[in-house]
Amino acid sequence: MTGADPIRSPRRLNALEAMMWRAEVDPRLRHPVVIVDLLDVEPAWDRLLESHDRATRYVPRLRDRVLEPWWGWGLPEWSPDPGFALDYHVRRSRLAEPGDLTSLLDHAATWATTPFDRARPPWEVLLVTGLDGGRAGYLLKVHHSLADGVGLVQILSLLHGHAREPEPTPPVSVIPDRDDRSRVSLTASRTVAAIARTPVDLLVGLTGALGASSRHARHPVAATRDGAAFVASAARAALPHRAPASPLLRHRSLNRRFLVWDIGLEALKRAGRSAGGSLNDAYVAAVLGGVARYHRRMGARVPERIPVGMPMNTRVASDALGGNHWAGLRFAAPLDEDDAATRIRLVRDIVVGLRQERITDALGLVAPVLAALPPVLLARVQGGATRGNDVQVSNIPGVTRPAFVAGAHIERSYAFGPLPGGAVMAALMSDADTCHVGATIDTAAITAPGTFAACVEESFAEVLALG
């Protein structure tokens, strides 16, 4: 049997990844992505370690740390960690028995707020035992600069098996030695080249977005008109309409809670179709309905609209495993619409309109400039934008076949996105027949988590009734 070749990824962080990495000088802008798997039994520890050791050899990026150049000039790079230690990244803990899903989620939320050791590869695994019925929890925390939601699912597919019994796996080819980098090696000519490349990257993005060709050189008036159309399109995709943040959700802190809901996949699809929308439209409309109910339950006025952020997947088949391939959309979402079907149609119209813009990735376009800013200034700029979102929503395609962790079956799997300044981040991850929705909330904004959870559950029931 021939060995499996390690999967290679670009050495340099792209500008968007560098932004997420550097903005964490403000602890409120941390970017952990967390997966919580509920397992039917406690997995075999030795087998768990072996599968993760193999994965780090198959995906060498998991053995890489982020190395910054001196003075932050130029983009950081991935470089092998000379002291990589698997037992640091894969650990275990035990709940006070008998633990349940709520105690597991609370444990995961506390663990998620612990910052990464930035001198090591930015990912950690925690096996949590002590759950009732002999169950266990598998927690994976990855820095967003290493992978987005879709990339994280790709990595999980390498860590997880498809049968309870051990499956035959080909040996991984020996990882060729890669020269370790130091800060010194990222200075001098490389730094000068990186600084010079920043405006070039921006220009390339601009001309690509404009569809630049010889036609623009021959017709400067047309080029100017196209440039104006481009700027207007980018602004519509990146900036919400005038929708002030909700006064009820205005406070921010470093404290987080994880909440979850399980929704039938086909039922949510039917609900979306019944109102002329999609599963995603029904999902977003249900979350908005829950936020509106929460305002009423707390005795607050329901705003007409609130600012919402939503990533749009831009990944193509040729992209390397992991990494970040998404465009950030922002819009003013309807909140005071009581009719669930109408709310789905309104969401549908907004999202379709944004996707049809000539340029949707305005953030990616200006990222080379923002990433070149001093980290403190970058944090102020980025934080000022993300704190303007009351709610963020994400939809991640999950694994559609049974999955196992070292012999333990994954009964449920939830994704929890980062909350860099917002009040609520909801992420939907589907499997063969269920949509598992996980929400990261800032408890300074959502001061009554139990009430909020009930409001969202009631809103999902209202939306599902349409189908």
Side-chain angles (χ1 to χ4, degrees):
M1 180 181 295
T2 58
D5 292 328
I7 297 176
R8 298 299 180 189
S9 299
R11 180 186 292 275
R12 191 169 61 132
L13 277 72
N14 63 38
L16 178 61
E17 293 162 348
M19 282 177 55
M20 293 187 289
W21 181 256
R22 288 172 170 170
E24 291 188 354
V25 293
D26 182 344
R28 294 170 298 181
L29 301 181
R30 290 171 183 156
H31 284 78
V33 183
V34 177
I35 298 292
V36 175
D37 290 340
L38 184 62
L39 310 179
D40 65 342
V41 296
E42 181 178 339
W45 178 246
D46 291 344
R47 187 172 161 189
L48 185 73
L49 289 176
E50 190 279 330
S51 67
H52 286 73
D53 179 72
R54 174 183 171 77
T56 64
R57 297 178 185 280
Y58 189 52
V59 186
R61 171 65 77 246
L62 297 176
R63 288 175 174 250
D64 287 349
R65 57 180 176 166
V66 176
L67 198 62
E68 285 275 11
W70 281 113
W71 308 295
W73 287 352
L75 294 174
E77 292 190 357
W78 295 103
S79 179
D81 177 7
F84 178 78
L86 185 67
D87 58 0
Y88 172 85
H89 294 274
V90 184
R91 288 171 279 178
R92 51 184 166 179
S93 66
R94 192 169 189 87
L95 296 175
E97 299 183 43
D100 57 11
L101 178 59
T102 299
S103 58
L104 175 64
L105 293 173
D106 290 344
H107 191 70
T110 300
W111 176 68
T113 61
T114 305
F116 289 103
D117 182 343
R118 294 170 73 86
R120 298 176 184 265
W123 65 273
E124 297 174 14
V125 163
L126 187 65
L127 176 64
V128 182
T129 58
L131 272 73
D132 53 10
R135 298 180 300 170
Y138 172 89
L139 315 182
L140 171 65
K141 179 171 66 171
V142 172
H143 195 280
H144 209 319
S145 62
L146 193 152
D148 56 22
V150 176
L152 189 54
V153 171
Q154 292 177 334
I155 293 173
L156 282 171
S157 68
L158 301 176
L159 295 172
H160 299 343
H162 299 293
R164 196 176 293 275
E165 298 303 319
E167 301 170 81
T169 54
V172 179
S173 301
V174 176
I175 303 175
D177 291 335
R178 295 189 295 168
D179 292 336
D180 186 24
R181 301 299 179 96
S182 66
R183 287 178 181 266
V184 175
S185 71
L186 291 179
T187 58
S189 61
R190 293 183 60 80
T191 297
V192 172
I195 295 173
R197 191 168 48 238
T198 296
V200 174
D201 288 345
L202 180 61
L203 181 60
V204 169
L206 283 167
T207 54
L210 288 170
S213 65
S214 59
R215 181 178 70 86
H216 292 95
R218 296 193 305 269
H219 302 285
V221 174
T224 301
R225 186 170 57 246
D226 279 357
F230 156 74
V231 171
S233 177
R236 286 192 296 269
L239 303 176
H241 299 292
R242 294 187 180 277
S246 167
L248 178 65
L249 310 178
R250 69 181 183 276
H251 296 295
R252 299 291 185 267
S253 71
L254 295 176
N255 301 317
R256 303 288 183 261
R257 281 284 299 275
F258 286 171
L259 304 174
V260 297
W261 303 269
D262 297 308
I263 313 299
L265 177 65
E266 289 302 323
L268 195 57
K269 286 182 178 179
R270 287 195 301 269
R273 288 195 299 265
S274 71
S278 65
L279 178 148
N280 189 69
D281 301 325
Y283 154 59
V284 175
V287 172
L288 292 174
V291 175
R293 285 172 180 265
Y294 180 72
H295 278 73
R296 298 188 187 97
R297 203 71 55 86
M298 299 297 290
R301 182 186 66 85
V302 179
E304 180 180 353
R305 290 175 179 268
I306 59 171
V308 171
M310 183 173 70
M312 181 180 72
N313 181 29
T314 60
R315 189 178 298 269
V316 297
S318 58
D319 288 329
L321 180 143
N324 284 267
H325 304 277
W326 54 274
L329 304 181
R330 300 177 69 194
F331 55 94
L335 199 69
D336 65 346
E337 175 54 61
D338 292 335
D339 182 68
T342 302
R343 197 163 59 247
I344 290 174
R345 286 191 288 271
L346 290 173
V347 169
R348 177 71 173 176
D349 291 343
I350 292 171
V351 174
V352 169
L354 287 175
R355 289 179 180 272
Q356 290 177 344
E357 288 291 350
R358 183 173 182 182
I359 172 67
T360 57
D361 192 11
L363 175 60
L365 196 64
V366 300
V369 174
L370 296 179
L373 296 175
V376 173
L377 181 56
L378 168 62
R380 289 183 62 87
V381 173
Q382 183 175 336
T386 55
R387 278 195 295 272
N389 293 333
D390 279 339
V391 177
Q392 297 183 76
V393 288
S394 180
N395 187 344
I396 306 166
V399 178
T400 57
R401 56 187 295 188
F404 296 82
V405 176
H409 178 239
I410 299 175
E411 296 180 332
R412 286 180 256 172
S413 186
Y414 303 97
F416 299 92
L419 192 59
V424 178
M425 170 62 185
L428 179 152
M429 190 162 66
S430 55
D431 58 24
D433 56 11
T434 306
C435 295
H436 304 287
V437 180
T440 308
I441 65 170
D442 185 333
T443 55
I446 306 293
T447 56
T451 300
F452 181 77
C455 289
V456 174
E457 185 172 353
E458 292 166 10
S459 182
F460 266 111
E462 179 186 42
V463 167
L464 294 179
L466 297 174

